[in-house]
Amino acid sequence: MALSGAYFDVMLIGTGAVLSGGFLSVSGLDMEVDYEVYTEGGSNYPRFFFKNTKPQTLVLEQGVVTTVDSVSLLMAMVNQGMSIPLAGTITLRDSFGEAQRTWSVVGAHLQKYVGPQLNSNQASVAVSRIELIHNGCF
């Protein structure tokens, strides 16, 4: 099923910070878990014990942030040694704006921001790439 004109609505909220906008590309909606395998003597079936989750990188590309300078606020906090966990949703919308699928993200931290090329002929301020590190989504 091809969704021509589709986009992603992103709404991530943290204490004193909001990252909201529309993006054409989202990747890194993954989750990876480490398990420790334990086999008791005389048993043919191993037991798996949860060890930890591996951090993943959520990448938001080619979009417009609709909250007032939220990326600058988050970067300023990181520069001061603070990292605010963000939680919220990423919704895939079709060309009519109808929600097709929603993912929830918890505990995302700003890792990298790549700004757009500045061009006085552009009507809007676009965001090229935002990377957030997280422990998985559902």
Side-chain angles (χ1 to χ4, degrees):
M1 176 171 122
L3 296 173
S4 177
Y7 63 96
F8 293 91
D9 242 349
V10 176
M11 173 61 83
L12 300 173
I13 301 172
T15 306
V18 175
L19 179 61
S20 175
F23 295 87
L24 295 180
S25 172
V26 173
S27 63
L29 293 168
D30 308 329
M31 184 169 182
E32 189 172 345
V33 179
D34 274 339
Y35 289 96
E36 187 171 323
V37 180
Y38 174 75
T39 305
E40 294 178 345
S43 173
N44 293 330
Y45 303 102
R47 296 178 62 189
F48 297 94
F49 294 97
F50 174 76
K51 197 172 177 182
N52 61 6
T53 58
K54 292 182 179 181
Q56 304 294 315
T57 302
L58 177 65
V59 180
L60 312 172
E61 291 184 302
Q62 299 173 352
V64 176
V65 174
T66 56
T67 51
V68 178
D69 217 11
S70 59
V71 177
S72 296
L73 174 66
L74 289 169
M75 289 302 291
M77 291 176 162
V78 169
N79 285 334
Q80 294 175 4
M82 296 182 287
S83 183
I84 296 174
L86 302 171
T89 59
I90 297 172
T91 304
L92 171 63
R93 297 195 180 274
D94 63 17
S95 59
F96 301 107
E98 297 293 322
Q100 297 297 313
R101 171 93 196 267
T102 299
W103 294 266
S104 295
V105 178
V106 179
H109 294 268
L110 183 65
Q111 181 178 7
K112 185 177 183 179
Y113 168 73
V114 178
Q117 293 182 347
L118 300 177
N119 183 345
S120 63
N121 292 325
Q122 283 184 328
S124 63
V125 179
V127 174
S128 291
R129 184 180 179 103
I130 297 173
E131 293 183 12
L132 302 141
I133 193 165
H134 68 98
N135 282 328
C137 59
F138 50 95

